[in-house]
Amino acid sequence: MTSYVRRAATVTAGALALTIGLAVPALAHVTVNPGTAVQGSWTKIAFRVPNERDNASTTKVEVEFPTDHPLPFVSVRPVPGWDVKLTRGKLPKPVVSDAGDTITESVLKITWSGGKIESGQFQEFEASVGPLPKNVDSLEFPTAQTYSSGEVVKWADAPKADGSEPEHPAPALKLVAAEEGDDQHGAAPASPAAPASPAAAAPTVATAASDDDESGNSTPALVLGGLGLVAGLVGAGAGLTALRRSRG
């Protein structure tokens, strides 16, 4: 029984290490968060920049904005310790917006500098953008990450044809069609409250759960606790059965 437990623990630990090892490289990429927004909406996005070097800190981040589908309005949230600059300029060619307006100038780039992202840390740089294009599946934001050593890493690779991830993928925002009832801010409006009925006055399980939530308790935690108790009892029963067999 002891050898079986040891083997199971070894296999579990190995699988966990492999999973973490595979996940770490993906987490190290510069990404857009959240990664999905509604077409035609306004949204807030954050460029998440991790520091990948042990011997240098990130000192500058330059994010290029799309020029084939420009975003008419862009504003940034200040980041303590960092200077931010929005670079506006002429587009390579005029673009007709979804509203029928001809756009000749737009935000071309946002640069954050003057701060530091140390080894083992990350920083999020937020921007409010909109309205997003309605007939586009995704927007890419090529990013240049500059280190204190002078190294510049360009996150600008396009997705590969076979679907695999390139070495330095460009941060991308996936755009999805608005569902029926969604407003232009990408969120569905609240549904009207149901009319009151006599039965609504009676205490219910849902009411008790809401009361518990307000007092600091959590119904999901109780459920998980119950499941853990059941699992413990099952494990204890299995252990007793194995012990009786070994004695027999």
Side-chain angles (χ1 to χ4, degrees), residues 150-228:
E151 178 188 9
V152 178
V153 178
K154 294 186 177 181
W155 302 92
D157 295 345
K160 293 185 178 181
D162 60 2
S164 60
E165 189 174 66
E167 183 177 1
H168 296 97
L173 176 65
K174 182 180 179 181
L175 302 181
V176 297
E179 297 181 0
E180 185 177 355
D182 280 2
D183 60 19
Q184 292 302 307
H185 294 271
S191 57
S197 63
T204 63
V205 175
T207 302
S210 300
D211 292 340
D212 287 343
D213 290 344
E214 293 176 357
S215 62
N217 296 326
S218 174
T219 300
L222 295 177
V223 174
L224 291 176
L227 293 176

Side-chain angles (χ1 to χ4, degrees), residues 66 70-72 74 87-91 103-109:
L71 299 173
V74 178
T87 301
R88 299 186 64 91
K90 288 187 175 296
L91 299 173
I103 302 175
T104 59
E105 293 186 358
S106 183
V107 171
L108 304 179
K109 180 172 62 175

Side-chain angles (χ1 to χ4, degrees), residues 80-150:
W82 290 81
D83 298 322
V84 59
K85 178 182 178 182
L86 276 76
T87 301
R88 299 186 64 91
K90 288 187 175 296
L91 299 173
K93 60 180 181 179
V95 175
V96 178
S97 69
D98 294 324
D101 300 324
T102 299
I103 302 175
T104 59
E105 293 186 358
S106 183
V107 171
L108 304 179
K109 180 172 62 175
I110 301 180
T111 303
W112 287 271
S113 60
K116 286 186 178 181
I117 307 174
E118 302 291 354
S119 177
Q121 299 179 355
F122 73 91
Q123 179 67 56
E124 288 190 339
F125 303 93
E126 296 180 331
S128 177
V129 299
L132 300 173
K134 295 181 178 180
N135 300 310
V136 179
D137 294 332
S138 66
L139 296 175
E140 293 186 356
F141 299 85
T143 299
Q145 180 178 10
T146 302
Y147 287 92
S148 56
S149 61

Side-chain angles (χ1 to χ4, degrees), residues 44-47 75-79 110 112 124-128:
K44 182 186 75 173
I45 56 178
F47 299 97
S75 60
V76 295
R77 171 175 287 182
V79 180
I110 301 180
W112 287 271
E124 288 190 339
F125 303 93
E126 296 180 331
S128 177

